[in-house]
């Protein structure tokens, strides 16, 4: 795993882990990365300071971070069990269920910041995922 500082078009800087530099570029090119503060998908690597840690706490800090990320991933995976991937049709599908035009089921997918904001303003219950979810097509 490798950590990158990323900067969105709005100037927010945030830290994210990737399997490799190529994995970051692939996810960015497919629009799977967004700023956790504002949802902006215009994300690039930010200038990073070198990480120099004391010998005694380098392993424990890294282990703690990995453990926390693993817990978040496990909880999110449990929450998505039985959920249907709808991809970029998320806003449309969520609104149809809210309006009674479709059978209510648990779904997950992708929405722009504007789509998510409009859903919330209209009372459609939605929540962001904390860690990126790999679309089913990308797993094959």
């Amino acid at each position: 795993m490798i950590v990158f500082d990323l900067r969105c078009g709005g100037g927010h800087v945030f830290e994210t882990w990737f399997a490799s530099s190529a994995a970051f570029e692939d996810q960015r090119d497919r629009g799977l990365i967004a700023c956790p503060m504002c949802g902006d998908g215009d994300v690039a690597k930010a200038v990073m300071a070198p990480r120099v840690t004391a010998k005694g706490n380098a392993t424990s800090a890294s282990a703690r971070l990995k453990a926390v990320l693993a817990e978040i991933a496990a909880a999110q995976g449990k929450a998505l069990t039985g959920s249907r991937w709808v991809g970029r049709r998320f806003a449309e599908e969520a609104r149809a269920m809210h309006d009674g035009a479709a059978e209510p089921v648990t779904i997950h997918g992708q929405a722009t910041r504007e789509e998510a904001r409009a859903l919330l303003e209209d009372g459609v219950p939605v929540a962001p995922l904390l860690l990126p979810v790999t679309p089913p097509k990308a797993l094959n």
Side-chain angles (χ1 to χ4, degrees):
M1 297 292 279
I2 186 168
V3 65
F4 291 123
D5 282 344
L6 303 179
R7 179 183 305 274
C8 74
H12 299 115
V13 176
F14 55 100
E15 185 177 271
T16 307
W17 290 79
F18 295 92
S20 66
S21 187
F24 158 73
E25 292 169 12
D26 176 59
Q27 290 181 34
R28 181 200 58 210
D29 293 346
R30 292 189 293 138
L32 299 177
I33 303 172
C35 174
M37 290 162 258
C38 67
D40 185 5
D42 180 20
V43 175
K45 290 181 188 175
V47 176
M48 294 175 55
R51 292 189 182 261
V52 180
T53 58
K55 286 183 182 179
N57 66 5
T59 302
S60 62
S62 176
R64 283 193 307 267
L65 178 60
K66 286 181 181 179
V68 168
L69 288 174
E71 287 178 29
I72 291 170
Q76 187 167 286
K78 185 177 179 182
L80 293 177
T81 299
S83 180
R84 182 170 46 96
W85 172 258
V86 295
R88 298 210 179 266
R89 294 185 337 274
F90 179 81
E92 175 186 335
E93 298 266 342
R95 187 170 303 284
M97 287 186 282
H98 181 73
D99 294 342
E103 183 70 28
V105 295
T106 304
I107 60 171
H108 65 283
Q110 297 172 322
T112 65
R113 186 173 87 188
E114 293 77 21
E115 289 172 331
R117 183 172 286 134
L119 289 170
L120 288 170
E121 287 173 358
D122 292 343
V124 180
V126 297
L129 297 175
L130 299 176
L131 297 175
V133 174
T134 304
K137 291 179 184 175
L139 293 173
N140 297 329

